[in-house]
Amino acid sequence: MVAVGFPGPHLEFGLPATGVVERLRAAVHGRGGEAVRQLALITVLYLGYRAGRMITADDTERASSNAHALLDVEHRLGFLAETAVQGPFLHWDFLAVPANFYYATAHFTVAVAVIVWLWVFRPWHYRMTRNLMVGLTGAGLLLHVLLPLAPPRMLPDRGFVDVAALHGQSVYGPTESEGLSNQFAAMPSLHVGWALLLAVAVVAATNTPWRWLALAHPTLTTVIVIGTGNHYWLDAIAAVLLLAGTAVLHRMIAPAAVTLWDANGAAAQPGFPARLPIR
């Protein structure tokens, strides 16, 4: 059989090429109702999240004040200035243009691709990833409301530049526009939080040595959100801490569940199936 995956020895993802279509067909036909329910759930949660973000959409003064205070905290802690990371993106278009494109597209496209792949081929990991994503996003929404924060690109007085606007690829409307989006939701960076969660899910759900390349996604995402002026270092750190807290809380609520972090280790134990069955 020909294994699906990158060329080379021991790089398969656990499914022969001839079985991919059959597995996909079985998932769609056997779990179509579940797919509809999951899609409805995700839609409701997304709409609720978008509505919740709008609570502080007009809190310009507090968001700006919080941003300056956060930069002062980072300076006292000795963090590398975000403007230093942004420098290369301002000088070289070949970095700025793809970075803007990555920021605008990868957040949702990678999430959808990984979630769908997990749902079809790794249902157990899908459920864990879904639960953690919902928990992380809910915690992020709460922090958006409690701590409205203007992103760096809105602070030209601190040396920041809106790289996306500079190249005409901004996914946001004008700062003063109403009803479109809450641009004061920089804390935490769900771009970073989601990227890390999805990378961990891929690492946990596969056995190929190449799976560790998935960690390039959160790494690249962090550099890009800082370099394009959309987030601060503390935004990214807060997202990682919220994800860790969500994982701990999930274990407390469902102690019998095998978490993403345990899945590969458990699979290596005697009597544990190498591939978790479709349910």
Side-chain angles (χ1 to χ4, degrees):
M1 292 185 182
V2 179
V4 175
F6 295 95
H10 310 297
L11 301 182
E12 55 89 20
F13 282 87
L15 282 175
T18 56
V20 173
V21 176
E22 287 78 2
R23 178 65 69 86
L24 181 59
R25 183 183 298 114
V28 172
H29 287 288
R31 300 160 58 215
E34 178 191 351
V36 173
R37 291 192 298 272
Q38 295 300 312
L39 181 59
L41 172 64
I42 292 172
T43 300
V44 170
L45 291 173
Y46 176 74
L47 292 176
Y49 171 75
R50 295 293 296 181
R53 275 172 57 112
M54 296 307 297
I55 294 175
T56 57
D58 298 322
D59 203 347
T60 305
E61 184 176 349
R62 188 156 67 106
S64 179
S65 176
N66 288 338
H68 285 281
L70 182 143
L71 284 172
D72 292 340
V73 170
E74 288 189 347
H75 178 72
R76 288 196 295 270
L77 292 175
F79 281 28
L80 173 68
E82 287 88 352
T83 49
V85 180
Q86 191 174 63
F89 293 90
L90 299 178
H91 288 93
W92 293 309
D93 290 355
F94 73 89
L95 290 180
V97 173
N100 289 334
F101 180 78
Y102 196 91
Y103 177 83
T105 62
H107 182 52
F108 284 108
T109 55
V110 173
V112 170
V114 172
I115 288 296
V116 170
W117 178 77
L118 290 172
W119 182 79
V120 174
F121 300 109
R122 301 290 191 273
W124 179 267
H125 292 85
Y126 160 76
R127 287 189 285 272
M128 296 298 301
T129 305
R130 175 204 61 197
N131 293 347
L132 293 179
M133 182 172 285
V134 170
L136 170 62
T137 305
L141 174 59
L142 180 61
L143 197 50
H144 292 335
V145 173
L146 295 176
L147 185 65
L149 186 70
R153 57 187 168 79
M154 291 185 178
L155 302 179
D157 57 306
R158 301 296 289 259
F160 292 104
V161 176
D162 188 341
V163 176
L166 184 66
H167 292 275
Q169 300 178 18
S170 179
V171 297
Y172 302 103
T175 304
E176 65 274 9
S177 63
E178 298 180 0
L180 295 176
S181 64
N182 180 3
Q183 300 192 55
F184 301 138
M187 172 68 75
S189 172
L190 289 181
H191 274 74
V192 173
W194 279 25
L196 180 59
L197 172 59
L198 295 169
V200 171
V202 170
V203 170
T206 59
N207 289 330
T208 167
W210 290 86
R211 69 188 185 275
W212 298 104
L213 290 178
L215 295 177
H217 179 46
T219 303
L220 186 60
T221 297
T222 301
V223 173
I224 286 176
V225 299
I226 300 295
T228 56
N230 284 289
H231 286 286
Y232 308 93
W233 292 116
L234 285 177
D235 298 341
I237 292 172
V240 174
L241 293 177
L242 283 180
L243 177 58
T246 301
V248 171
L249 183 61
H250 187 280
R251 178 181 287 275
M252 293 172 61
I253 295 174
V258 178
T259 68
L260 287 173
W261 288 267
D262 296 335
N264 273 341
Q269 297 176 7
F272 193 93
R275 295 295 176 195
L276 295 171
I278 296 290
R279 295 185 182 182

